[in-house]
Amino acid sequence: MSQWIAVALAIASAVCLAVGTQTQSAAVRGETSGALRPRNLGALLRNGRWLLGTGLLGLGMALNVSALTLATVTVVQPIGVVALAITTLLHARHQHLTINRRTWLAVVLCTVGGAGFVACAVSATDPSRRPGAAAENTVVLMLLGLVVLLGIAEVVFRRRRISMFYVLGAGVLYGFVAVLVRLSMTALTAGGLGASNWLAVLMLLVTAVLGGWMVQCAYSSGPPDLVIAGLTVVDPMVGVALGLFVLDEAGEGLTGWLAAGMGLAGVVAIVGVVLLFRFHPEVIQRRAAARARSRTRDGGTGQQAASSRKVARPDR
């Protein structure tokens, strides 16, 4: 019964995530022209719409934490895909976009894949299992290496502002955040503050901040439903992989057929994300605008070159 209460809490969390994401994305676009920079943070902190979105995301996080205290990461995290359909509809209405068939297909694939993943995960995990200290230390060390790697990549890609990089990076980070939340809450409820791994808590906070920054950067370089699509597919897959192979949450119900079903559902969801990144109406508009700017620059360069040749040509 507790697992299904956790599922209900996770669904409520997904709704808060969707509305909060759309609200924050609109605020980021309103305060920035192009890529988000650290100097824009002051304006965002004074923006009521951005603060409202932050509050909704905070509420969604609290609901998600509550869900993780009742069920495993493998069960809770995939449910976030519900937020994708809600965000797509909200963003299309806000931007007055017409959602094309391929976008709808992408949303359906993400949702069906995520729902199938949840159904398999419920049967595959044993909620009574408790990971040991060694598993927790392994997660912390893996996360430490990941944070360093993403920090270096951020420096490399800072000027290019690739939306896919920020979406994938944030998704992986939040997958680790979910696992650390689960571990911290389990330790807290079992042994109180004295049983907590404070290094894990510190890494949780650092990862949440870094993931939040990457999400804000993704808002400035792509529509919010793409951000949600990446997060709701990458995040649960990372969480599930860590849960099954590092935290040993797999139960006796995890058979070869069930594992194959989870893999198939994951592939379906990933295909949906790829289609959304390629055929979302706003992405198509941005590509067309980029091509138009490129043609304009090329045309201007060609005219300048022709003028230079005329000036350089000797009078006869």
Side-chain angles (χ1 to χ4, degrees), residues 5-265:
I5 295 175
V7 168
L9 290 172
I11 292 173
S13 172
V15 174
C16 291
L17 175 64
V19 179
T21 296
Q22 171 58 37
T23 306
Q24 268 202 341
S25 174
V28 170
R29 292 185 176 205
E31 294 289 350
T32 60
S33 55
L36 179 68
R37 303 294 180 187
R39 63 174 178 269
N40 300 128
L41 291 178
L44 289 176
L45 290 173
R46 296 188 298 270
N47 187 301
R49 187 166 48 176
W50 188 85
L51 293 174
L52 174 61
T54 302
L56 289 169
L57 292 176
L59 176 59
M61 185 179 299
L63 291 169
N64 196 61
V65 169
S66 300
L68 286 168
T69 62
L70 298 174
T72 63
V73 174
T74 313
V75 172
V76 172
Q77 287 310 103
I79 300 175
V81 75
V82 173
L84 172 58
I86 301 173
T87 306
T88 300
L89 294 173
L90 289 176
H91 183 63
R93 181 176 180 181
H94 183 265
Q95 295 294 113
H96 305 290
L97 296 172
T98 300
I99 304 177
N100 55 47
R101 292 182 180 179
R102 287 176 174 175
T103 299
W104 278 123
L105 175 61
V107 171
V108 169
L109 290 176
C110 289
T111 305
V112 170
F117 205 90
V118 170
C120 294
V122 170
S123 302
T125 56
D126 181 358
S128 64
R129 294 198 175 187
R130 295 291 183 266
E136 186 172 5
N137 291 332
T138 300
V139 172
V140 171
L141 290 175
M142 291 172 64
L143 180 56
L144 182 61
L146 176 65
V147 168
V148 173
L149 181 62
L150 288 178
I152 295 173
E154 161 68 10
V155 173
V156 173
F157 294 116
R158 181 182 299 169
R159 294 184 178 180
R160 301 183 65 182
R161 294 290 167 180
I162 302 174
S163 178
M164 180 69 83
F165 163 70
Y166 289 109
V167 169
L168 293 179
V172 174
L173 288 173
Y174 280 132
F176 274 88
V177 166
V179 170
L180 289 180
V181 167
R182 169 69 175 171
L183 292 172
S184 299
M185 293 304 297
T186 300
L188 185 63
T189 54
L193 289 175
S196 299
N197 184 333
W198 293 107
L199 178 59
V201 174
L202 176 62
M203 287 303 301
L204 190 159
L205 296 175
V206 170
T207 304
V209 171
L210 179 58
W213 168 252
M214 299 190 80
V215 167
Q216 301 302 314
C217 291
Y219 288 154
S220 67
S221 55
D225 32 349
L226 289 187
V227 178
I228 287 292
L231 292 179
T232 54
V233 171
V234 177
D235 175 344
M237 287 188 176
V238 172
V240 167
L242 291 172
L244 293 178
F245 300 111
V246 180
L247 304 183
D248 194 28
E249 291 181 347
E252 295 181 358
L254 181 59
T255 63
W257 286 106
L258 194 59
M262 292 177 68
L264 178 61

Side-chain angles (χ1 to χ4, degrees), residues 265-307:
V267 169
V268 170
I270 290 174
V271 170
V273 173
V274 173
L275 289 177
L276 202 58
F277 266 93
R278 291 192 61 188
F279 300 114
H280 190 284
E282 185 171 328
V283 172
I284 293 174
Q285 289 179 2
R286 289 190 177 213
R287 288 200 197 107
R291 285 194 295 267
R293 287 194 299 269
S294 178
R295 285 195 296 268
T296 300
R297 286 195 299 268
D298 292 344
T301 303
Q303 290 177 1
Q304 291 176 0
S307 299

